[in-house]
Amino acid sequence: MDDDSRLKDWEQRTDLPLGIASLVFLGSYAVHVLEPDLPEAVHVLLLSLTYLTWAMFAVDYAVRWRLSGAGPGFVRRHWLDTVVLVLPLLRPVRVVRTYEAMQRRHGEPRMGLHARVAAYSALSISLLGFSGALAVYQAERSAPNATIRTFGDSLWWTCSTLSTVGYGDYVPVTTLGRFIAVGLMACGLALLGTVTGSFSSWMLQRFDLGEDENKRPPRK
């Protein structure tokens, strides 16, 4: 069995478990942030689950690097996985990849290309927005002169940031909060650009199809 075959076999075996681990990571982190009054033992358990899932992704990354046989080139070709490993709050986006892999495993996806792009982009934006709101809320809620004091404030700020509107009524004041803001702005631009480009392509195809039908000679 060559390197590519072993790598594909590993990815097929681990896609679903790691997709579930992504949701466990997000769930345990969300409860840890949103319920600060829980007993200390519960918070220890939640953090243990968070770090355990992080370790699972680190092991998966190392194994895929080894099986690829690509050496340092693996990091360049799988830059998103590298970013997700460094920034664990982006890990829930892996659920999108898991869903796509499951669709391929059961044959041809039911949705067309443009519909899939829109669906995956919407899911990615939702996961990124929720994860970013949690991280900003944790960083900002106790900071001096902070304007983001509740999770609702953080969600509103995240929506305006991802949509690139930026009302300015809520702004992060901590270094970590601003760092997260930069990442959300970049992701928002990329995802919205993907959806816009896919919609434009779909419209052009529809127009071309309509023109072809008009050019056909009438039936006798």
Side-chain angles (χ1 to χ4, degrees):
M1 184 179 293
D2 57 18
D3 291 340
D4 288 340
S5 298
R6 287 185 296 175
L7 179 59
K8 289 180 181 179
D9 182 64
W10 171 264
E11 290 178 342
Q12 289 178 354
R13 291 174 180 273
T14 58
D15 265 325
L16 182 58
L18 291 177
I20 296 173
S22 299
L23 296 178
V24 171
F25 177 91
L26 182 60
S28 59
Y29 179 70
V31 175
H32 172 66
V33 172
L34 297 177
E35 299 294 339
D37 297 329
L38 291 175
E40 184 67 23
V42 176
H43 282 287
V44 171
L45 175 61
L46 293 172
L47 289 176
S48 298
L49 286 174
T50 301
Y51 291 132
L52 176 61
T53 53
W54 192 349
M56 290 175 62
F57 276 88
V59 170
D60 171 67
Y61 185 87
V63 171
R64 288 192 295 116
W65 187 341
R66 177 68 180 83
L67 292 179
S68 69
F74 178 85
V75 178
R76 183 178 63 257
R77 288 192 295 177
H78 298 80
W79 61 270
L80 181 58
D81 291 329
T82 306
V83 172
V84 168
L85 182 63
V86 176
L87 301 176
L89 280 178
L90 297 181
R91 287 177 185 167
V93 178
R94 187 186 176 95
V95 174
V96 178
R97 173 180 165 180
T98 301
Y99 176 76
E100 185 177 7
M102 292 179 65
Q103 289 290 306
R104 289 198 306 267
R105 192 176 302 174
H106 289 85
E108 189 69 21
R110 297 178 182 178
M111 295 186 295
L113 174 61
H114 300 300
R116 277 185 289 151
V117 170
Y120 296 161
S121 298
L123 180 57
S124 298
I125 290 174
S126 300
L127 291 171
L128 281 172
F130 185 65
S131 301
L134 286 172
V136 168
Y137 175 56
Q138 184 182 30
E140 296 287 317
R141 60 185 173 186
S142 301
N145 302 319
T147 59
I148 301 175
R149 293 291 187 182
T150 67
F151 185 61
D153 295 339
S154 183
L155 280 175
W156 170 252
W157 170 84
T158 302
C159 290
S160 62
T161 301
L162 278 174
S163 63
T164 69
V165 174
Y167 288 105
D169 48 353
Y170 297 103
V171 294
V173 298
T174 64
T175 301
L176 178 59
R178 291 173 177 174
F179 178 76
I180 296 170
V182 172
L184 287 177
M185 291 175 196
C187 292
L189 286 171
L191 290 171
L192 289 175
T194 300
V195 174
T196 303
S198 178
F199 179 74
S200 300
S201 177
W202 177 78
M203 291 293 291
L204 289 174
Q205 287 185 2
R206 299 301 298 177
F207 289 147
D208 289 341
L209 181 61
E211 290 179 358
D212 291 340
E213 290 179 351
N214 291 332
K215 292 177 180 179
R216 291 177 182 174
R219 294 181 179 178
K220 295 182 180 180

